[in-house]
Each structure stands twice: as C-alpha cells, then as structure tokens.
Amino acid sequence: SFAQIQRPRAICIIKYTINMLRTILSISGRPGLYRLVNQGKNMLIVENLADRRRTPAYAHDKVVSLGDISIYTYGDDKPLPEVLEALKAKTDAQPVDLKAIGSDDNIREYFGEVLPDYDRERVYTADIKKLIKWYNQLIAAGITDFVKSEEAAEAPEAAAE
C-alpha cells in the first residue's frame, strides 16, 4: 500500500449570529409570533414565543418569515431586520408602549423618527402597530439580534494520515 500525502488547505470559516428572523414566523389568523422548530411531511412544527406551546402549521396556513418582510420607503424597501435594529437603537432595547404614544398620528410620527424615509402613503398605521407589537414580542422572548453579523476568517486545516 502507499501513503497518500495531503497538503494543508485553507478553509474559509464563517462565524455569524444565526439570523433568527428567518426562523421566526407570523401565521395568518393566529396571534403572536412563532419559532420554527421542525418540518413535517405537509406541515411545520412551530413554537409560540410567548407560551412556548408547540403546534403544527399546515400547508394551507399563510406562514411568513419575518426575515422576508420589508417596509416600503421612498427609495429601496428596507428589510424588517434593519427596521427592528433601528427601533432597538431608538428604545435602547426596551419595549415600546403603544398606549403611551397615543393616537395614530403620534404613532406615525414616532415611526418617522425610527425610519425617516418610510413611504407614508403605502405603510398603514395598522402595519406600524403590528411591527411594534412584533418588536415587543421579540424583546420579551429575549431575541435582540435582528441583523446577521458575519465575519470570515481563513484557517489552515492540517490533514492527518
């Protein structure tokens, strides 16, 4: 037999915070947010962020990942994770009290401070309220990293014989 010699090679190692918003779901007709736990044959197994109960979400349910949502702006649409990061920066990662903000005009003005260039004609007050409620639920569940942070490093790999 012969010994095969393997040269060390460089491997690109990517470390990143898991983009949690890809696995956080909104299901039409159900209150709250859900974490994707597993996938079944014709369904998803989801866990409610508030009470941690697991339930199935079937193919006929309208399921949307928070990572796939964006907010209309006058320029390019802003991905929801970036909007949530801006909201977190404004509130110092504290929940937002919608009742304290008050009327619909005050809510729109508050959101204008978070995202100044949002399209005021296409983004409704109900959308802003839902976004703020989602933010509060994520903060309550301990999810505060909304944007994926990536850093790549080169590492040599020594091969064993």
Side-chain angles (χ1 to χ4, degrees):
S1 76
F2 65 94
Q4 184 178 3
I5 300 174
Q6 294 182 349
R7 283 184 250 145
R9 57 188 169 131
I11 295 179
C12 182
I13 298 174
I14 299 176
K15 289 173 54 178
Y16 57 89
T17 303
I18 296 174
N19 189 356
M20 290 299 294
L21 294 187
R22 283 272 173 228
T23 60
I24 304 298
L25 309 171
S26 171
I27 303 174
S28 184
R30 296 189 195 181
L33 294 174
Y34 297 83
R35 181 187 323 267
L36 176 64
V37 176
N38 206 345
Q39 215 169 348
K41 185 173 180 175
N42 288 322
M43 65 180 171
L44 302 173
I45 305 298
V46 296
E47 178 180 79
N48 189 308
L49 287 183
D51 59 16
R52 303 188 56 87
R53 275 192 284 166
R54 292 184 178 190
T55 58
Y58 296 100
H60 62 81
D61 291 325
K62 184 177 178 187
V63 178
V64 179
S65 166
L66 294 191
D68 294 335
I69 298 174
S70 60
I71 302 298
Y72 293 121
T73 64
Y74 292 119
D76 292 334
D77 292 349
K78 190 73 115 171
L80 183 64
E82 293 179 19
V83 176
L84 292 173
E85 275 294 326
L87 188 57
K88 181 177 86 170
K90 177 169 178 46
T91 64
D92 294 325
Q94 298 299 313
V96 177
D97 186 7
L98 275 172
K99 290 181 181 177
I101 295 174
S103 70
D104 288 356
D105 291 335
N106 291 346
I107 290 173
R108 294 178 79 74
E109 183 180 324
Y110 179 83
F111 192 67
E113 295 170 9
V114 174
L115 187 63
D117 64 337
Y118 84 95
D119 190 336
R120 281 149 176 80
E121 293 175 7
R122 295 194 293 173
V123 177
Y124 300 111
T125 306
D127 300 330
I128 298 170
K129 287 179 180 180
K130 183 183 287 189
L131 183 146
I132 292 174
K133 288 177 185 176
W134 285 348
Y135 169 79
N136 288 340
Q137 290 173 18
L138 291 168
I139 293 295
I143 300 170
T144 58
D145 293 327
F146 304 121
V147 178
K148 184 187 333 183
S149 61
E150 296 182 3
E151 60 182 61
E154 293 288 326
E157 177 186 278
E161 291 186 37

